[in-house]
Amino acid sequence: PHATTPERAATVDAERFLYVIAGTGRVRTAGEVLDVEKEDMVWLEPGDRFTLEAAAEALAVLEATSS
């Protein structure tokens, strides 16, 4: 709860997405702050960096790459 990840960058030059499995929180990417909750998806372009911030409950997120 209330945890923040270090900023993450792509390890491959590919599109990625984040899928929220459980919890609520925020995704910070490309100058935007997006509130997310269970079953939300965030699309990331190649080179996008992001951080995850959990709200009061834990945040579980799946990251997948299109390559």
Side-chain angles (χ1 to χ4, degrees):
H2 298 291
T4 301
T5 65
E7 185 176 67
R8 295 177 46 102
T11 55
V12 295
D13 188 28
E15 295 170 327
R16 296 170 293 153
F17 71 86
L18 306 174
Y19 176 76
V20 181
I21 298 168
T24 60
R26 290 191 175 110
V27 176
R28 293 181 184 272
T29 183
E32 292 185 78
V33 178
L34 307 168
D35 291 324
V36 294
E37 60 186 24
K38 184 177 179 179
E39 298 183 358
D40 281 350
M41 196 177 307
V42 177
W43 191 261
L44 300 167
E45 295 295 329
D48 281 354
R49 299 170 146 317
F50 70 93
T51 59
L52 300 171
E53 299 174 3
E57 56 192 279
L59 180 63
V61 176
L62 170 72
E63 178 181 354
T65 303
S66 66
S67 63

Short mmCIF file of all heavy atoms in Angstrom, two decimals:
data_model
loop_
_atom_site.label_atom_id
_atom_site.label_comp_id
_atom_site.label_asym_id
_atom_site.label_seq_id
_atom_site.Cartn_x
_atom_site.Cartn_y
_atom_site.Cartn_z
N PRO A 1 0.81 -1.21 0.00
CA PRO A 1 0.00 0.00 0.00
C PRO A 1 0.85 1.27 0.00
O PRO A 1 1.86 1.33 0.69
CB PRO A 1 -0.82 -0.11 1.26
CG PRO A 1 -0.84 -1.57 1.60
CD PRO A 1 0.44 -2.11 1.06
N HIS A 2 0.48 2.23 -0.77
CA HIS A 2 1.16 3.52 -0.90
C HIS A 2 2.61 3.37 -1.38
O HIS A 2 3.43 4.23 -1.11
CB HIS A 2 1.11 4.31 0.41
CG HIS A 2 -0.29 4.65 0.83
ND1 HIS A 2 -1.07 5.55 0.14
CD2 HIS A 2 -1.04 4.19 1.84
CE1 HIS A 2 -2.25 5.64 0.73
NE2 HIS A 2 -2.27 4.81 1.76
N ALA A 3 2.92 2.30 -2.08
CA ALA A 3 4.27 2.08 -2.60
C ALA A 3 4.39 2.70 -3.98
O ALA A 3 3.40 2.84 -4.71
CB ALA A 3 4.56 0.59 -2.68
N THR A 4 5.61 3.08 -4.35
CA THR A 4 5.91 3.63 -5.67
C THR A 4 7.08 2.87 -6.26
O THR A 4 8.07 2.63 -5.57
CB THR A 4 6.27 5.12 -5.57
OG1 THR A 4 5.17 5.82 -4.98
CG2 THR A 4 6.56 5.71 -6.94
N THR A 5 6.98 2.49 -7.53
CA THR A 5 8.08 1.81 -8.19
C THR A 5 9.10 2.83 -8.67
O THR A 5 8.74 3.99 -8.93
CB THR A 5 7.61 0.99 -9.41
OG1 THR A 5 7.09 1.89 -10.40
CG2 THR A 5 6.57 -0.03 -9.02
N PRO A 6 10.34 2.42 -8.87
CA PRO A 6 11.29 3.29 -9.57
C PRO A 6 10.80 3.48 -11.01
O PRO A 6 10.03 2.65 -11.52
CB PRO A 6 12.59 2.50 -9.56
CG PRO A 6 12.41 1.41 -8.57
CD PRO A 6 10.93 1.16 -8.44
N GLU A 7 11.26 4.53 -11.66
CA GLU A 7 10.88 4.73 -13.06
C GLU A 7 11.39 3.57 -13.90
O GLU A 7 12.52 3.13 -13.74
CB GLU A 7 11.47 6.04 -13.59
CG GLU A 7 11.00 6.36 -14.99
CD GLU A 7 11.51 7.69 -15.48
OE1 GLU A 7 12.73 7.80 -15.67
OE2 GLU A 7 10.69 8.59 -15.66
N ARG A 8 10.52 3.06 -14.76
CA ARG A 8 10.87 1.93 -15.61
C ARG A 8 10.91 2.37 -17.07
O ARG A 8 10.10 3.19 -17.49
CB ARG A 8 9.86 0.80 -15.45
CG ARG A 8 9.85 0.21 -14.06
CD ARG A 8 8.79 -0.86 -13.93
NE ARG A 8 8.78 -1.77 -15.05
CZ ARG A 8 9.30 -3.00 -15.03
NH1 ARG A 8 9.87 -3.44 -13.94
NH2 ARG A 8 9.23 -3.78 -16.08
N ALA A 9 11.86 1.80 -17.80
CA ALA A 9 11.97 2.08 -19.23
C ALA A 9 11.92 0.75 -19.96
O ALA A 9 12.19 -0.31 -19.39
CB ALA A 9 13.27 2.80 -19.53
N ALA A 10 11.60 0.80 -21.23
CA ALA A 10 11.55 -0.42 -22.04
C ALA A 10 12.94 -1.02 -22.19
O ALA A 10 13.92 -0.30 -22.32
CB ALA A 10 10.98 -0.09 -23.41
N THR A 11 13.00 -2.33 -22.18
CA THR A 11 14.26 -3.02 -22.44
C THR A 11 14.34 -3.45 -23.91
O THR A 11 15.38 -3.88 -24.37
CB THR A 11 14.41 -4.26 -21.53
OG1 THR A 11 13.26 -5.09 -21.72
CG2 THR A 11 14.50 -3.85 -20.07
N VAL A 12 13.22 -3.34 -24.62
CA VAL A 12 13.17 -3.62 -26.06
C VAL A 12 12.42 -2.48 -26.73
O VAL A 12 11.63 -1.79 -26.10
CB VAL A 12 12.46 -4.96 -26.37
CG1 VAL A 12 13.25 -6.13 -25.82
CG2 VAL A 12 11.05 -4.98 -25.84
N ASP A 13 12.65 -2.28 -28.01
CA ASP A 13 11.97 -1.22 -28.75
C ASP A 13 10.65 -1.77 -29.28
O ASP A 13 10.55 -2.20 -30.43
CB ASP A 13 12.86 -0.74 -29.90
CG ASP A 13 12.27 0.49 -30.57
OD1 ASP A 13 11.55 1.25 -29.89
OD2 ASP A 13 12.53 0.69 -31.77
N ALA A 14 9.65 -1.80 -28.40
CA ALA A 14 8.35 -2.36 -28.76
C ALA A 14 7.26 -1.67 -27.98
O ALA A 14 7.51 -1.06 -26.93
CB ALA A 14 8.33 -3.86 -28.46
N GLU A 15 6.04 -1.75 -28.48
CA GLU A 15 4.89 -1.25 -27.74
C GLU A 15 4.63 -2.18 -26.57
O GLU A 15 4.92 -3.39 -26.64
CB GLU A 15 3.66 -1.18 -28.64
CG GLU A 15 3.84 -0.18 -29.76
CD GLU A 15 2.76 -0.28 -30.80
OE1 GLU A 15 2.24 -1.38 -31.05
OE2 GLU A 15 2.44 0.77 -31.38
N ARG A 16 4.11 -1.63 -25.47
CA ARG A 16 3.81 -2.42 -24.29
C ARG A 16 2.47 -1.99 -23.74
O ARG A 16 1.98 -0.91 -24.06
CB ARG A 16 4.86 -2.19 -23.20
CG ARG A 16 6.24 -2.63 -23.59
CD ARG A 16 7.27 -2.16 -22.60
NE ARG A 16 7.33 -0.70 -22.69
CZ ARG A 16 7.71 0.09 -21.70
NH1 ARG A 16 8.05 -0.40 -20.53
NH2 ARG A 16 7.74 1.39 -21.84
N PHE A 17 1.90 -2.83 -22.89
CA PHE A 17 0.72 -2.39 -22.15
C PHE A 17 0.81 -2.86 -20.71
O PHE A 17 1.50 -3.82 -20.39
CB PHE A 17 -0.59 -2.84 -22.81
CG PHE A 17 -0.89 -4.30 -22.71
CD1 PHE A 17 -1.54 -4.82 -21.59
CD2 PHE A 17 -0.55 -5.16 -23.73
CE1 PHE A 17 -1.83 -6.17 -21.49
CE2 PHE A 17 -0.85 -6.51 -23.65
CZ PHE A 17 -1.49 -7.01 -22.53
N LEU A 18 0.12 -2.12 -19.86
CA LEU A 18 -0.01 -2.46 -18.45
C LEU A 18 -1.47 -2.82 -18.22
O LEU A 18 -2.36 -2.08 -18.64
CB LEU A 18 0.36 -1.27 -17.56
CG LEU A 18 1.73 -0.64 -17.79
CD1 LEU A 18 1.88 0.61 -16.93
CD2 LEU A 18 2.83 -1.63 -17.51
N TYR A 19 -1.71 -3.94 -17.56
CA TYR A 19 -3.06 -4.37 -17.25
C TYR A 19 -3.17 -4.48 -15.74
O TYR A 19 -2.37 -5.18 -15.11
CB TYR A 19 -3.37 -5.72 -17.91
CG TYR A 19 -4.74 -6.26 -17.54
CD1 TYR A 19 -5.88 -5.73 -18.11
CD2 TYR A 19 -4.88 -7.27 -16.60
CE1 TYR A 19 -7.14 -6.20 -17.78
CE2 TYR A 19 -6.13 -7.76 -16.26
CZ TYR A 19 -7.26 -7.22 -16.84
OH TYR A 19 -8.49 -7.68 -16.50
N VAL A 20 -4.13 -3.79 -15.14
CA VAL A 20 -4.30 -3.80 -13.69
C VAL A 20 -5.09 -5.05 -13.29
O VAL A 20 -6.26 -5.18 -13.63
CB VAL A 20 -5.00 -2.52 -13.20
CG1 VAL A 20 -5.15 -2.55 -11.68
CG2 VAL A 20 -4.23 -1.28 -13.65
N ILE A 21 -4.42 -5.94 -12.59
CA ILE A 21 -5.03 -7.19 -12.14
C ILE A 21 -5.87 -6.95 -10.89
O ILE A 21 -6.95 -7.51 -10.75
CB ILE A 21 -3.94 -8.24 -11.86
CG1 ILE A 21 -3.17 -8.54 -13.14
CG2 ILE A 21 -4.54 -9.51 -11.26
CD1 ILE A 21 -1.90 -9.33 -12.92
N ALA A 22 -5.36 -6.13 -9.98
CA ALA A 22 -6.06 -5.87 -8.72
C ALA A 22 -5.60 -4.54 -8.15
O ALA A 22 -4.50 -4.07 -8.44
CB ALA A 22 -5.80 -6.99 -7.72
N GLY A 23 -6.46 -3.94 -7.33
CA GLY A 23 -6.10 -2.72 -6.62
C GLY A 23 -6.39 -1.45 -7.40
O GLY A 23 -6.98 -1.46 -8.48
N THR A 24 -5.95 -0.34 -6.82
CA THR A 24 -6.09 0.98 -7.43
C THR A 24 -4.79 1.74 -7.24
O THR A 24 -3.99 1.43 -6.37
CB THR A 24 -7.24 1.79 -6.80
OG1 THR A 24 -6.97 1.95 -5.41
CG2 THR A 24 -8.58 1.11 -6.99
N GLY A 25 -4.59 2.75 -8.08
CA GLY A 25 -3.39 3.56 -7.96
C GLY A 25 -3.25 4.51 -9.12
O GLY A 25 -4.26 4.91 -9.73
N ARG A 26 -1.99 4.83 -9.44
CA ARG A 26 -1.71 5.77 -10.53
C ARG A 26 -0.56 5.26 -11.38
O ARG A 26 0.35 4.60 -10.87
CB ARG A 26 -1.31 7.13 -9.97
CG ARG A 26 -2.44 7.87 -9.32
CD ARG A 26 -2.02 9.31 -9.05
NE ARG A 26 -3.16 10.04 -8.54
CZ ARG A 26 -3.27 10.47 -7.30
NH1 ARG A 26 -2.29 10.27 -6.44
NH2 ARG A 26 -4.34 11.12 -6.92
N VAL A 27 -0.61 5.62 -12.65
CA VAL A 27 0.50 5.40 -13.57
C VAL A 27 0.95 6.77 -14.03
O VAL A 27 0.14 7.58 -14.48
CB VAL A 27 0.07 4.55 -14.79
CG1 VAL A 27 1.23 4.41 -15.78
CG2 VAL A 27 -0.43 3.18 -14.35
N ARG A 28 2.24 7.04 -13.89
CA ARG A 28 2.81 8.30 -14.38
C ARG A 28 3.65 7.98 -15.60
O ARG A 28 4.57 7.17 -15.54
CB ARG A 28 3.70 8.94 -13.31
CG ARG A 28 2.92 9.42 -12.11
CD ARG A 28 3.85 10.08 -11.08
NE ARG A 28 3.10 10.45 -9.90
CZ ARG A 28 2.47 11.60 -9.73
NH1 ARG A 28 2.52 12.52 -10.69
NH2 ARG A 28 1.81 11.86 -8.62
N THR A 29 3.30 8.59 -16.74
CA THR A 29 4.03 8.36 -17.98
C THR A 29 3.88 9.56 -18.91
O THR A 29 2.80 10.16 -18.97
CB THR A 29 3.55 7.08 -18.69
OG1 THR A 29 4.36 6.88 -19.86
CG2 THR A 29 2.10 7.11 -19.07
N ALA A 30 4.94 9.90 -19.59
CA ALA A 30 4.92 10.95 -20.62
C ALA A 30 4.23 12.23 -20.15
O ALA A 30 3.42 12.81 -20.87
CB ALA A 30 4.27 10.42 -21.89
N GLY A 31 4.48 12.64 -18.92
CA GLY A 31 3.90 13.87 -18.41
C GLY A 31 2.45 13.75 -17.97
O GLY A 31 1.83 14.73 -17.61
N GLU A 32 1.88 12.56 -18.02
CA GLU A 32 0.49 12.33 -17.62
C GLU A 32 0.44 11.55 -16.31
O GLU A 32 1.32 10.73 -16.04
CB GLU A 32 -0.25 11.51 -18.67
CG GLU A 32 -0.48 12.20 -19.97
CD GLU A 32 -1.33 11.33 -20.88
OE1 GLU A 32 -2.56 11.28 -20.67
OE2 GLU A 32 -0.75 10.70 -21.76
N VAL A 33 -0.61 11.78 -15.55
CA VAL A 33 -0.89 10.99 -14.35
C VAL A 33 -2.27 10.37 -14.57
O VAL A 33 -3.26 11.08 -14.73
CB VAL A 33 -0.88 11.85 -13.07
CG1 VAL A 33 -1.22 10.99 -11.87
CG2 VAL A 33 0.46 12.54 -12.89
N LEU A 34 -2.30 9.04 -14.62
CA LEU A 34 -3.55 8.32 -14.90
C LEU A 34 -3.98 7.54 -13.67
O LEU A 34 -3.21 6.74 -13.14
CB LEU A 34 -3.33 7.35 -16.06
CG LEU A 34 -2.73 7.94 -17.34
CD1 LEU A 34 -2.31 6.84 -18.28
CD2 LEU A 34 -3.74 8.86 -17.99
N ASP A 35 -5.20 7.75 -13.20
CA ASP A 35 -5.76 6.94 -12.12
C ASP A 35 -6.18 5.61 -12.74
O ASP A 35 -6.82 5.59 -13.79
CB ASP A 35 -6.96 7.63 -11.48
CG ASP A 35 -6.57 8.87 -10.69
OD1 ASP A 35 -5.49 8.85 -10.07
OD2 ASP A 35 -7.34 9.84 -10.69
N VAL A 36 -5.81 4.50 -12.08
CA VAL A 36 -6.15 3.18 -12.60
C VAL A 36 -6.79 2.33 -11.51
O VAL A 36 -6.58 2.54 -10.33
CB VAL A 36 -4.91 2.45 -13.18
CG1 VAL A 36 -4.39 3.17 -14.41
CG2 VAL A 36 -3.81 2.30 -12.14
N GLU A 37 -7.59 1.37 -11.97
CA GLU A 37 -8.23 0.41 -11.06
C GLU A 37 -8.31 -0.93 -11.78
O GLU A 37 -7.96 -1.04 -12.97
CB GLU A 37 -9.62 0.89 -10.66
CG GLU A 37 -10.55 1.09 -11.82
CD GLU A 37 -11.87 1.71 -11.40
OE1 GLU A 37 -11.95 2.39 -10.36
OE2 GLU A 37 -12.84 1.50 -12.14
N LYS A 38 -8.79 -1.94 -11.07
CA LYS A 38 -8.87 -3.30 -11.61
C LYS A 38 -9.49 -3.31 -13.01
O LYS A 38 -10.49 -2.64 -13.25
CB LYS A 38 -9.71 -4.17 -10.67
CG LYS A 38 -9.78 -5.61 -11.09
CD LYS A 38 -10.56 -6.42 -10.09
CE LYS A 38 -10.66 -7.86 -10.54
NZ LYS A 38 -11.39 -8.68 -9.60
N GLU A 39 -8.85 -4.04 -13.91
CA GLU A 39 -9.24 -4.26 -15.30
C GLU A 39 -8.95 -3.08 -16.23
O GLU A 39 -9.31 -3.12 -17.41
CB GLU A 39 -10.70 -4.71 -15.42
CG GLU A 39 -10.94 -6.04 -14.73
CD GLU A 39 -12.35 -6.57 -14.88
OE1 GLU A 39 -13.20 -5.90 -15.50
OE2 GLU A 39 -12.59 -7.67 -14.37
N ASP A 40 -8.27 -2.03 -15.75
CA ASP A 40 -7.84 -0.95 -16.64
C ASP A 40 -6.61 -1.39 -17.41
O ASP A 40 -5.84 -2.25 -16.97
CB ASP A 40 -7.50 0.32 -15.85
CG ASP A 40 -8.72 1.10 -15.43
OD1 ASP A 40 -9.84 0.79 -15.90
OD2 ASP A 40 -8.57 2.03 -14.62
N MET A 41 -6.40 -0.77 -18.59
CA MET A 41 -5.23 -1.04 -19.41
C MET A 41 -4.62 0.29 -19.83
O MET A 41 -5.34 1.23 -20.16
CB MET A 41 -5.65 -1.85 -20.64
CG MET A 41 -4.49 -2.49 -21.33
SD MET A 41 -4.97 -3.52 -22.74
CE MET A 41 -6.19 -4.61 -22.04
N VAL A 42 -3.29 0.36 -19.81
CA VAL A 42 -2.56 1.55 -20.24
C VAL A 42 -1.60 1.13 -21.35
O VAL A 42 -0.80 0.20 -21.17
CB VAL A 42 -1.77 2.18 -19.08
CG1 VAL A 42 -0.95 3.37 -19.56
CG2 VAL A 42 -2.71 2.59 -17.95
N TRP A 43 -1.71 1.78 -22.51
CA TRP A 43 -0.85 1.49 -23.66
C TRP A 43 0.39 2.36 -23.58
O TRP A 43 0.29 3.57 -23.36
CB TRP A 43 -1.61 1.76 -24.95
CG TRP A 43 -0.89 1.24 -26.15
CD1 TRP A 43 -0.11 1.94 -27.01
CD2 TRP A 43 -0.89 -0.10 -26.61
NE1 TRP A 43 0.37 1.12 -27.98
CE2 TRP A 43 -0.08 -0.15 -27.75
CE3 TRP A 43 -1.47 -1.28 -26.15
CZ2 TRP A 43 0.15 -1.32 -28.46
CZ3 TRP A 43 -1.24 -2.44 -26.86
CH2 TRP A 43 -0.45 -2.46 -28.00
N LEU A 44 1.56 1.76 -23.80
CA LEU A 44 2.83 2.49 -23.78
C LEU A 44 3.52 2.36 -25.14
O LEU A 44 3.64 1.26 -25.67
CB LEU A 44 3.75 1.93 -22.69
CG LEU A 44 3.21 1.99 -21.27
CD1 LEU A 44 4.04 1.12 -20.35
CD2 LEU A 44 3.17 3.42 -20.79
N GLU A 45 3.93 3.48 -25.67
CA GLU A 45 4.66 3.50 -26.94
C GLU A 45 6.13 3.13 -26.69
O GLU A 45 6.62 3.25 -25.57
CB GLU A 45 4.58 4.90 -27.57
CG GLU A 45 3.18 5.32 -27.97
CD GLU A 45 2.60 4.48 -29.07
OE1 GLU A 45 3.35 3.99 -29.94
OE2 GLU A 45 1.37 4.30 -29.08
N PRO A 46 6.85 2.71 -27.73
CA PRO A 46 8.27 2.41 -27.56
C PRO A 46 9.00 3.61 -26.94
O PRO A 46 8.77 4.76 -27.34
CB PRO A 46 8.76 2.15 -28.99
CG PRO A 46 7.54 1.67 -29.71
CD PRO A 46 6.41 2.46 -29.10
N GLY A 47 9.81 3.34 -25.95
CA GLY A 47 10.58 4.39 -25.30
C GLY A 47 9.88 5.08 -24.13
O GLY A 47 10.51 5.83 -23.39
N ASP A 48 8.58 4.86 -23.96
CA ASP A 48 7.87 5.48 -22.82
C ASP A 48 8.43 4.95 -21.50
O ASP A 48 8.67 3.76 -21.36
CB ASP A 48 6.37 5.17 -22.86
CG ASP A 48 5.60 6.03 -23.84
OD1 ASP A 48 6.21 6.96 -24.42
OD2 ASP A 48 4.40 5.76 -24.03
N ARG A 49 8.61 5.87 -20.56
CA ARG A 49 9.01 5.51 -19.20
C ARG A 49 7.78 5.66 -18.32
O ARG A 49 6.90 6.46 -18.62
CB ARG A 49 10.10 6.45 -18.71
CG ARG A 49 11.37 6.41 -19.55
CD ARG A 49 12.29 7.55 -19.15
NE ARG A 49 13.70 7.39 -19.17
CZ ARG A 49 14.44 6.37 -18.76
NH1 ARG A 49 13.88 5.32 -18.27
NH2 ARG A 49 15.74 6.40 -18.81
N PHE A 50 7.73 4.90 -17.22
CA PHE A 50 6.58 5.01 -16.34
C PHE A 50 6.94 4.64 -14.90
O PHE A 50 7.94 3.96 -14.66
CB PHE A 50 5.42 4.13 -16.83
CG PHE A 50 5.66 2.66 -16.68
CD1 PHE A 50 5.24 1.98 -15.54
CD2 PHE A 50 6.32 1.95 -17.67
CE1 PHE A 50 5.47 0.62 -15.40
CE2 PHE A 50 6.55 0.59 -17.54
CZ PHE A 50 6.12 -0.07 -16.40
N THR A 51 6.12 5.10 -13.98
CA THR A 51 6.17 4.66 -12.59
C THR A 51 4.76 4.26 -12.18
O THR A 51 3.78 4.75 -12.73
CB THR A 51 6.69 5.75 -11.62
OG1 THR A 51 5.82 6.88 -11.71
CG2 THR A 51 8.10 6.17 -11.94
N LEU A 52 4.69 3.36 -11.22
CA LEU A 52 3.41 2.92 -10.66
C LEU A 52 3.34 3.38 -9.22
O LEU A 52 4.34 3.32 -8.49
CB LEU A 52 3.30 1.39 -10.70
CG LEU A 52 3.37 0.74 -12.07
CD1 LEU A 52 3.47 -0.77 -11.92
CD2 LEU A 52 2.16 1.12 -12.90
N GLU A 53 2.16 3.83 -8.80
CA GLU A 53 1.94 4.24 -7.42
C GLU A 53 0.69 3.54 -6.91
O GLU A 53 -0.40 3.72 -7.48
CB GLU A 53 1.73 5.75 -7.32
CG GLU A 53 2.90 6.56 -7.80
CD GLU A 53 2.61 8.05 -7.83
OE1 GLU A 53 1.50 8.46 -7.40
OE2 GLU A 53 3.47 8.79 -8.29
N ALA A 54 0.82 2.74 -5.87
CA ALA A 54 -0.34 2.06 -5.28
C ALA A 54 -1.10 3.03 -4.40
O ALA A 54 -0.51 3.93 -3.79
CB ALA A 54 0.11 0.86 -4.46
N ALA A 55 -2.40 2.85 -4.31
CA ALA A 55 -3.24 3.62 -3.39
C ALA A 55 -3.18 2.92 -2.03
O ALA A 55 -2.18 2.28 -1.70
CB ALA A 55 -4.65 3.71 -3.93
N ALA A 56 -4.23 3.01 -1.24
CA ALA A 56 -4.25 2.43 0.10
C ALA A 56 -4.18 0.90 0.07
O ALA A 56 -3.75 0.29 1.03
CB ALA A 56 -5.50 2.88 0.84
N GLU A 57 -4.60 0.29 -1.04
CA GLU A 57 -4.51 -1.16 -1.17
C GLU A 57 -3.39 -1.51 -2.14
O GLU A 57 -2.91 -0.65 -2.87
CB GLU A 57 -5.85 -1.71 -1.67
CG GLU A 57 -6.29 -1.09 -2.98
CD GLU A 57 -7.72 -1.42 -3.34
OE1 GLU A 57 -7.94 -2.52 -3.86
OE2 GLU A 57 -8.57 -0.57 -3.10
N ALA A 58 -2.96 -2.75 -2.14
CA ALA A 58 -1.89 -3.17 -3.04
C ALA A 58 -2.34 -3.04 -4.50
O ALA A 58 -3.52 -3.15 -4.81
CB ALA A 58 -1.50 -4.61 -2.74
N LEU A 59 -1.38 -2.81 -5.38
CA LEU A 59 -1.63 -2.67 -6.81
C LEU A 59 -0.90 -3.80 -7.53
O LEU A 59 0.33 -3.92 -7.40
CB LEU A 59 -1.14 -1.31 -7.31
CG LEU A 59 -1.32 -0.97 -8.77
CD1 LEU A 59 -2.79 -0.93 -9.14
CD2 LEU A 59 -0.65 0.36 -9.09
N ALA A 60 -1.62 -4.64 -8.26
CA ALA A 60 -1.01 -5.74 -9.03
C ALA A 60 -1.18 -5.43 -10.50
O ALA A 60 -2.30 -5.25 -10.98
CB ALA A 60 -1.67 -7.06 -8.68
N VAL A 61 -0.06 -5.39 -11.25
CA VAL A 61 -0.08 -4.99 -12.64
C VAL A 61 0.71 -5.99 -13.48
O VAL A 61 1.81 -6.39 -13.10
CB VAL A 61 0.52 -3.58 -12.82
CG1 VAL A 61 0.60 -3.19 -14.27
CG2 VAL A 61 -0.29 -2.56 -12.04
N LEU A 62 0.16 -6.37 -14.63
CA LEU A 62 0.84 -7.21 -15.59
C LEU A 62 1.39 -6.30 -16.68
O LEU A 62 0.67 -5.46 -17.21
CB LEU A 62 -0.15 -8.20 -16.22
CG LEU A 62 0.35 -8.99 -17.42
CD1 LEU A 62 1.36 -10.02 -16.98
CD2 LEU A 62 -0.81 -9.64 -18.14
N GLU A 63 2.67 -6.46 -17.01
CA GLU A 63 3.27 -5.70 -18.11
C GLU A 63 3.55 -6.67 -19.25
O GLU A 63 4.17 -7.72 -19.04
CB GLU A 63 4.59 -5.05 -17.66
CG GLU A 63 5.27 -4.28 -18.75
CD GLU A 63 6.59 -3.67 -18.31
OE1 GLU A 63 6.94 -3.72 -17.13
OE2 GLU A 63 7.29 -3.13 -19.20
N ALA A 64 3.09 -6.35 -20.45
CA ALA A 64 3.30 -7.23 -21.61
C ALA A 64 3.88 -6.42 -22.75
O ALA A 64 3.62 -5.21 -22.88
CB ALA A 64 1.98 -7.87 -22.04
N THR A 65 4.66 -7.08 -23.61
CA THR A 65 5.32 -6.46 -24.74
C THR A 65 4.79 -7.05 -26.04
O THR A 65 4.50 -8.25 -26.11
CB THR A 65 6.85 -6.73 -24.65
OG1 THR A 65 7.30 -6.24 -23.39
CG2 THR A 65 7.60 -6.03 -25.75
N SER A 66 4.68 -6.22 -27.07
CA SER A 66 4.09 -6.66 -28.34
C SER A 66 5.06 -7.40 -29.26
O SER A 66 4.66 -7.88 -30.29
CB SER A 66 3.51 -5.47 -29.10
OG SER A 66 4.55 -4.60 -29.49
N SER A 67 6.32 -7.46 -28.90
CA SER A 67 7.28 -8.11 -29.82
C SER A 67 7.31 -9.61 -29.69
O SER A 67 6.84 -10.21 -28.80
CB SER A 67 8.68 -7.57 -29.59
OG SER A 67 9.13 -7.86 -28.30
#
